[in-house]
Short mmCIF file of all heavy atoms in Angstrom, two decimals:
data_model
loop_
_atom_site.label_atom_id
_atom_site.label_comp_id
_atom_site.label_asym_id
_atom_site.label_seq_id
_atom_site.Cartn_x
_atom_site.Cartn_y
_atom_site.Cartn_z
N LEU U 841 103.38 17.68 81.85
CA LEU U 841 104.56 17.43 81.01
C LEU U 841 105.72 18.32 81.44
O LEU U 841 106.86 17.86 81.57
CB LEU U 841 104.22 17.66 79.54
CG LEU U 841 105.40 17.61 78.56
CD1 LEU U 841 106.08 16.25 78.60
CD2 LEU U 841 104.93 17.94 77.14
N CYS U 842 105.42 19.59 81.64
CA CYS U 842 106.47 20.52 82.09
C CYS U 842 107.01 20.13 83.46
O CYS U 842 108.21 20.22 83.72
CB CYS U 842 105.91 21.94 82.13
SG CYS U 842 105.51 22.64 80.52
N ALA U 843 106.11 19.68 84.34
CA ALA U 843 106.53 19.24 85.66
C ALA U 843 107.44 18.02 85.57
O ALA U 843 108.43 17.90 86.30
CB ALA U 843 105.31 18.90 86.52
N CYS U 844 107.13 17.12 84.63
CA CYS U 844 107.97 15.94 84.39
C CYS U 844 109.37 16.34 83.98
O CYS U 844 110.37 15.85 84.53
CB CYS U 844 107.31 15.07 83.32
SG CYS U 844 108.43 13.92 82.47
N ILE U 845 109.47 17.25 83.03
CA ILE U 845 110.79 17.68 82.53
C ILE U 845 111.55 18.45 83.59
O ILE U 845 112.77 18.28 83.76
CB ILE U 845 110.63 18.53 81.25
CG1 ILE U 845 109.95 17.69 80.15
CG2 ILE U 845 111.97 19.05 80.77
CD1 ILE U 845 109.58 18.48 78.92
N ALA U 846 110.85 19.31 84.32
CA ALA U 846 111.51 20.10 85.37
C ALA U 846 112.05 19.18 86.47
O ALA U 846 113.19 19.36 86.93
CB ALA U 846 110.52 21.09 85.97
N HIS U 847 111.26 18.20 86.87
CA HIS U 847 111.71 17.28 87.91
C HIS U 847 112.86 16.41 87.42
O HIS U 847 113.89 16.27 88.09
CB HIS U 847 110.54 16.40 88.36
CG HIS U 847 110.91 15.34 89.33
ND1 HIS U 847 111.66 15.61 90.46
CD2 HIS U 847 110.65 14.00 89.36
CE1 HIS U 847 111.85 14.48 91.14
NE2 HIS U 847 111.25 13.49 90.49
N GLY U 848 112.68 15.84 86.23
CA GLY U 848 113.74 14.98 85.68
C GLY U 848 115.04 15.74 85.46
O GLY U 848 116.12 15.24 85.77
N GLY U 849 114.93 16.96 84.94
CA GLY U 849 116.12 17.77 84.72
C GLY U 849 116.86 18.06 86.01
O GLY U 849 118.10 18.02 86.07
N SER U 850 116.11 18.33 87.07
CA SER U 850 116.73 18.61 88.37
C SER U 850 117.43 17.38 88.92
O SER U 850 118.56 17.47 89.45
CB SER U 850 115.67 19.09 89.37
OG SER U 850 115.09 20.30 88.94
N VAL U 851 116.77 16.22 88.82
CA VAL U 851 117.37 14.99 89.32
C VAL U 851 118.65 14.67 88.55
O VAL U 851 119.67 14.30 89.14
CB VAL U 851 116.38 13.81 89.21
CG1 VAL U 851 117.07 12.49 89.55
CG2 VAL U 851 115.20 14.03 90.15
N LEU U 852 118.61 14.83 87.23
CA LEU U 852 119.79 14.55 86.42
C LEU U 852 120.92 15.53 86.72
O LEU U 852 122.09 15.16 86.78
CB LEU U 852 119.44 14.60 84.93
CG LEU U 852 119.07 13.25 84.30
CD1 LEU U 852 117.74 12.75 84.84
CD2 LEU U 852 118.99 13.38 82.78
N ALA U 853 120.57 16.80 86.92
CA ALA U 853 121.59 17.82 87.21
C ALA U 853 122.32 17.51 88.50
O ALA U 853 123.55 17.61 88.59
CB ALA U 853 120.94 19.20 87.28
N MET U 854 121.56 17.11 89.53
CA MET U 854 122.17 16.79 90.82
C MET U 854 122.82 15.42 90.80
O MET U 854 123.68 15.13 91.63
CB MET U 854 121.13 16.89 91.93
CG MET U 854 120.68 18.31 92.20
SD MET U 854 119.54 18.47 93.59
CE MET U 854 118.01 17.91 92.84
N GLY U 855 122.40 14.57 89.85
CA GLY U 855 123.01 13.24 89.75
C GLY U 855 124.37 13.27 89.10
O GLY U 855 125.28 12.56 89.52
N VAL U 856 124.54 14.11 88.08
CA VAL U 856 125.81 14.16 87.36
C VAL U 856 126.74 15.25 87.88
O VAL U 856 127.91 15.31 87.48
CB VAL U 856 125.58 14.38 85.84
CG1 VAL U 856 124.72 13.27 85.28
CG2 VAL U 856 124.94 15.74 85.57
N GLY U 857 126.25 16.11 88.75
CA GLY U 857 127.08 17.20 89.29
C GLY U 857 126.79 17.43 90.75
O GLY U 857 126.02 16.70 91.38
N ALA U 858 127.41 18.46 91.29
CA ALA U 858 127.21 18.79 92.70
C ALA U 858 125.84 19.39 92.94
O ALA U 858 125.31 20.12 92.10
CB ALA U 858 128.29 19.78 93.15
N VAL U 859 125.26 19.07 94.09
CA VAL U 859 123.95 19.63 94.46
C VAL U 859 124.04 21.14 94.55
O VAL U 859 123.16 21.87 94.08
CB VAL U 859 123.47 19.04 95.81
CG1 VAL U 859 122.17 19.71 96.24
CG2 VAL U 859 123.28 17.55 95.70
N SER U 860 125.12 21.64 95.14
CA SER U 860 125.29 23.09 95.30
C SER U 860 125.35 23.78 93.94
O SER U 860 124.76 24.84 93.75
CB SER U 860 126.56 23.40 96.10
OG SER U 860 127.70 22.80 95.51
N PHE U 861 126.06 23.17 92.97
CA PHE U 861 126.15 23.78 91.63
C PHE U 861 124.79 23.81 90.96
O PHE U 861 124.41 24.81 90.34
CB PHE U 861 127.16 23.01 90.77
CG PHE U 861 127.26 23.52 89.37
CD1 PHE U 861 127.88 24.75 89.11
CD2 PHE U 861 126.72 22.82 88.29
CE1 PHE U 861 127.97 25.24 87.81
CE2 PHE U 861 126.81 23.30 87.00
CZ PHE U 861 127.43 24.51 86.76
N ALA U 862 124.04 22.72 91.08
CA ALA U 862 122.71 22.66 90.48
C ALA U 862 121.81 23.74 91.06
O ALA U 862 121.04 24.40 90.34
CB ALA U 862 122.08 21.28 90.69
N GLN U 863 121.92 23.97 92.37
CA GLN U 863 121.11 24.99 93.02
C GLN U 863 121.51 26.39 92.58
O GLN U 863 120.65 27.28 92.43
CB GLN U 863 121.22 24.88 94.54
CG GLN U 863 120.57 23.64 95.12
CD GLN U 863 119.07 23.60 94.90
OE1 GLN U 863 118.40 24.63 94.95
NE2 GLN U 863 118.52 22.42 94.67
N ILE U 864 122.80 26.59 92.34
CA ILE U 864 123.26 27.89 91.86
C ILE U 864 122.70 28.18 90.47
O ILE U 864 122.20 29.27 90.19
CB ILE U 864 124.81 27.94 91.84
CG1 ILE U 864 125.35 27.91 93.25
CG2 ILE U 864 125.30 29.21 91.12
CD1 ILE U 864 126.87 27.71 93.33
#
Side-chain angles (χ1 to χ4, degrees):
L841 173 60
C842 292
C844 159
I845 298 172
H847 175 49
S850 297
V851 172
L852 267 68
M854 290 184 283
V856 302
V859 175
S860 55
F861 177 72
Q863 291 297 323
I864 292 170

